[in-house]
Amino acid sequence: MRMPAVTNKSANDIARFPCSQCGAVLKYAPGTSIQVCDYCGFENHIEQPAGRIEEYDLQEALRQLSQPRMEPAKPQIHCDECGAGFQFEASVHAGECPFCGTPIVSATAQTKPIQPKSLLPFRVDEVSARALFQRWLKGLWFAPNAVKKYARSDTKLTGVYLPYWTFDSDTVTDYSGERGDVYYVDQAVQVMRNNRMVTEIRRVPKIHWTPVSGRVSRFFDDVLIGASTSLPRKILDALQPWDLEQLIPYDERYLSGFRSEYYQVELGEGFDYAKQVMDSVIYRDIALAIGGDHQRIHQVRTHHSNVTYKHCLLPVWSAAFRYQDKAYRFVINGRTGQVQGERPYSWWKIGFAVIAAIALASAIYYAMDKSGALQNSQPVYQTAPMPMREPYWQQGY
């Protein structure tokens, strides 16, 4: 485990990848290890660096981040192609020149103290991503008809590398609670049958609660937390799973031709989200350890040790469409092609479906009633009382 990758660099480094044949800027081709020139077709191979992806100590990083540091100025970008000077959006460090469209990658050290050390390159290209989006739109149930037209339109997709944190942690959790075991007793009840009062015997469930306490432990590996606020967290989380075992060392050449964001969720905040994810798993472990038919968990105390983190970039295709003056966003996992997004609903379609379901259920009930099937399916009840049974732990088991 190495020391954290926290830096105070202020270099105004801009990465450019000119074609050696025509001078145009090379762009990364998804699904390959090459950069391609859109003008002359020249290809530049990206060598895969050796070595493994490092984990960094969380506590040491948080200690360093708590030290006073100068607030960096927003970097001024200079485009060599057209000579324009501009600034990216506050959360972006890779994109295109707004004047000539030249791909530009700026160094993240200018704005953030923790640099991305790994990434997953795009595997799904734009043509495939658009086809996946069209299929997703066409498959939406209860979507307004007007939305379907977007499945036939040339929706513009933007390839974006989104920032993520991953966290590893050894956890030990002490707990106390109660175990609930279900047993049954026979109970006589008075009910009205055919206009007369009769006695029925029903088996009624009861729960016996026993105090319990114990300890569970679990090692969490690569708990993934989105560090972007550009998209709702539920959409970011729904893009999982990611093939994190295929992470490669950070290389700016994979960013050429795509946008890339700085992290907007700070490291400590990211770990707070990670602990929430871990807690949900720990509670399931506790429930299994308690056993029985029901569980009550009263107190939980979790200790985290050997906590490490990584900062990586993961690829998505992103776009949005408008319907009735509201924007709906969607994203496509740039590795697996999984589509997640927001969508509108057609309430008249939903209402029609509900009415149709009620009509169908009524028709089935009427047909069964006319055929006598409902009378034949009535349960047989006992009308004589039976002796009460004791709970199983009082019967000598």
Side-chain angles (χ1 to χ4, degrees):
M1 183 173 59
R2 294 177 54 189
M3 299 293 284
V6 179
T7 179
N8 284 308
K9 290 172 60 178
S10 60
N12 190 27
D13 297 329
I14 303 296
R16 299 177 177 85
F17 310 99
C19 173
S20 60
Q21 290 190 356
C22 70
V25 177
L26 299 172
K27 298 181 180 180
Y28 170 64
T32 71
S33 59
I34 61 174
Q35 291 178 307
V36 178
C37 177
D38 288 342
Y39 295 93
C40 69
F42 176 78
E43 296 181 355
N44 178 50
H45 181 70
I46 304 175
E47 303 81 8
Q48 295 294 323
R52 64 187 183 90
I53 307 301
E54 297 287 347
E55 302 275 351
Y56 297 94
D57 183 87
L58 176 66
Q59 294 304 320
E60 179 61 22
L62 293 177
R63 185 190 66 79
Q64 291 192 26
L65 289 171
S66 66
Q67 302 299 315
R69 59 188 300 267
M70 293 181 58
E71 190 68 26
K74 189 175 179 181
Q76 181 77 15
I77 309 297
H78 177 78
C79 177
D80 286 346
E81 294 298 312
C82 68
F86 62 94
Q87 291 180 326
F88 281 138
E89 299 171 27
S91 62
V92 174
H93 74 94
E96 295 182 344
C97 171
F99 299 95
C100 67
T102 299
I104 293 176
V105 181
S106 67
T108 59
Q110 302 169 73
T111 302
K112 294 295 184 180
I114 299 178
Q115 312 307 304
K117 293 297 183 180
S118 57
L119 59 81
L120 287 175
F122 275 89
R123 180 179 289 165
V124 177
D125 61 24
E126 184 175 0
V127 174
S128 300
R130 183 173 290 108
L132 291 166
F133 168 62
Q134 292 172 351
R135 188 186 311 164
W136 177 73
L137 271 182
K138 291 177 181 178
L140 291 180
W141 284 68
F142 304 122
N145 291 333
V147 171
K148 300 291 182 158
K149 71 180 182 180
Y150 289 100
R152 299 184 297 272
S153 65
D154 188 23
T155 305
K156 178 175 175 54
L157 299 178
T158 301
V160 184
Y161 283 96
L162 293 180
Y164 279 81
W165 302 111
T166 76
F167 296 96
D168 295 356
S169 181
D170 269 319
T171 65
V172 175
T173 303
D174 295 308
Y175 67 87
S176 63
E178 294 178 274
R179 168 180 172 141
D181 295 291
V182 175
Y183 64 96
Y184 292 86
V185 297
D186 294 330
Q187 182 173 316
V189 296
Q190 299 291 318
V191 296
M192 185 69 70
R193 297 291 181 193
N194 298 323
N195 295 322
R196 65 188 184 92
M197 188 68 68
V198 298
T199 301
E200 293 182 359
I201 304 301
R202 295 182 178 177
R203 291 181 59 78
V204 179
K206 303 287 185 179
I207 301 177
H208 175 69
W209 292 101
T210 306
V212 295
S213 62
R215 171 177 290 183
V216 296
S217 60
R218 176 180 283 269
F219 172 71
F220 288 91
D221 181 42
D222 282 347
V223 176
L224 189 64
I225 301 297
S228 171
T229 58
S230 300
L231 292 167
R233 181 158 299 278
K234 65 179 181 180
I235 293 181
L236 291 176
D237 293 342
L239 286 172
Q240 298 190 49
W242 294 89
D243 51 336
L244 297 179
E245 67 281 358
Q246 300 298 321
L247 281 170
I248 63 173
Y250 176 80
D251 190 323
E252 293 172 334
R253 288 175 290 185
Y254 289 103
L255 273 58
S256 183
F258 298 92
R259 289 169 59 91
S260 183
E261 288 190 356
Y262 299 112
Y263 61 86
Q264 298 134 57
V265 175
E266 298 296 329
L267 180 61
E269 183 184 1
F271 186 56
D272 289 338
Y273 284 122
K275 286 191 289 186
Q276 295 176 21
V277 175
M278 297 179 198
D279 285 345
S280 64
V281 177
I282 290 171
Y283 269 73
R284 289 198 296 268
D285 289 346
I286 293 173
L288 288 173
I290 291 176
D293 302 302
H294 300 275
Q295 302 82 32
R296 290 172 175 168
I297 302 174
H298 298 319
Q299 289 187 332
V300 173
R301 296 177 299 276
T302 299
H303 174 69
H304 293 264
S305 62
N306 301 319
V307 184
T308 59
Y309 76 94
K310 295 191 301 290
H311 176 32
C312 58
L313 301 178
L314 304 182
V316 302
W317 291 101
S318 175
F321 59 86
R322 298 193 66 84
Y323 176 73
Q324 291 187 347
D325 297 326
K326 182 178 179 180
Y328 294 89
R329 294 165 294 181
F330 70 91
V331 289
I332 302 169
N333 185 312
R335 299 285 291 183
T336 66
Q338 181 181 1
V339 183
Q340 294 290 336
E342 303 166 324
R343 47 80 53 89
Y345 288 89
S346 172
W347 297 110
W348 72 267
K349 285 186 178 181
I350 295 175
F352 180 78
V354 171
I355 294 172
I358 293 174
L360 178 61
S362 299
I364 294 174
Y365 181 87
Y366 178 78
M368 292 180 65
D369 185 52
K370 294 295 289 183
S371 66
L374 293 178
Q375 287 79 2
N376 295 335
S377 63
Q378 291 293 329
V380 177
Y381 295 92
Q382 302 179 49
T383 57
M386 296 179 64
M388 301 290 285
R389 293 185 180 180
E390 296 178 337
Y392 69 86
W393 58 84
Q394 297 179 7
Q395 297 178 17
Y397 281 61

